[in-house]
Amino acid sequence: MADYESVLCVKNEVFVYNIPPRQSNRGYRAADWKLDQPDYTMRMRVVAKGPAVTIKLEDRNNGELFAQCPVEAYPGVAVEAVMDSSRYFVLRLVGDGGRTAFIGVGFQDRADSFDLNVALQDHFRYVAKEKEIASGTAKIDNTPKLDLGFKEGQTIKLNIVRKQL
């Protein structure tokens, strides 16, 4: 069966920054970027094809592909949250020849970054569950969780009051 491509998330306004090299192993800080002057404003599409996920940055006007970031695992090296903000991330872009580059992306609203996080987490949770089911190690519990039925001999009394008009 051929895998189909599904769009997990689309954000029409994503700020893209050329970022300085990481100074230490601590991680990236968005405060080191020129946050008031983004280098580009793009559209972001998170696309899944089978177990593979790719974050695509496209031109907002014509949809032309600017860059793409294949994501093997989340959290991982491909998408890294910055240390000082929940709205900014560092993406590892991979070119056609296998060359990599790191760029910063940010969102105007915190809800947009939350959507990206949830889309990636949900996809990889789904992939893990599919692997578990395929390997046969998944335990399916068909027992009822809570029995709300009447027991033998149990009764209930209802008092319904009618008002006269």
Side-chain angles (χ1 to χ4, degrees):
M1 179 180 147
D3 289 330
Y4 59 91
E5 186 174 278
S6 64
V7 178
L8 304 178
C9 181
V10 175
K11 294 299 169 189
N12 288 320
E13 186 177 48
V14 178
F15 303 120
V16 178
Y17 302 93
N18 289 325
I19 59 173
R22 187 189 321 219
Q23 298 299 325
S24 67
N25 286 338
R26 291 185 329 182
Y28 290 97
R29 293 176 36 88
D32 298 340
W33 310 346
K34 298 175 187 170
L35 297 179
D36 57 338
Q37 302 169 355
D39 295 310
Y40 307 99
T41 302
M42 298 279 172
R43 176 177 67 199
M44 175 186 284
R45 286 192 322 135
V46 181
V47 178
K49 187 170 184 178
V53 175
T54 304
I55 297 175
K56 296 182 178 184
L57 297 174
E58 302 168 339
D59 188 287
R60 288 174 34 173
N61 301 323
N62 59 16
E64 183 181 345
L65 182 65
F66 173 73
Q68 60 185 3
C69 170
V71 182
E72 293 87 19
Y74 184 76
V77 296
V79 180
E80 183 180 341
V82 298
M83 294 174 38
D84 58 344
S85 177
S86 63
R87 294 185 298 142
Y88 297 94
F89 299 89
V90 175
L91 300 182
R92 185 188 67 185
L93 304 178
V94 178
D96 294 334
R99 294 183 44 167
T100 61
F102 291 92
I103 63 164
V105 295
F107 299 97
Q108 183 72 32
D109 189 21
R110 191 175 296 129
D112 292 337
S113 66
F114 178 77
D115 291 344
L116 173 65
N117 268 322
V118 169
L120 291 172
Q121 288 172 357
D122 283 351
H123 174 75
F124 286 108
R125 192 174 301 131
Y126 170 77
V127 168
K129 190 60 124 175
E130 286 292 315
K131 285 182 184 176
E132 186 177 317
I133 290 171
S135 67
T137 60
K139 295 179 183 176
I140 300 173
D141 186 16
N142 290 332
T143 60
K145 302 291 183 222
L146 182 61
D147 184 15
L148 297 176
F150 288 115
K151 308 299 185 265
E152 184 70 33
Q154 188 176 10
T155 60
I156 186 170
K157 181 179 177 183
L158 298 174
N159 291 326
I160 301 174
V161 179
R162 287 185 162 181
K163 291 191 176 186
Q164 297 289 333
L165 294 178

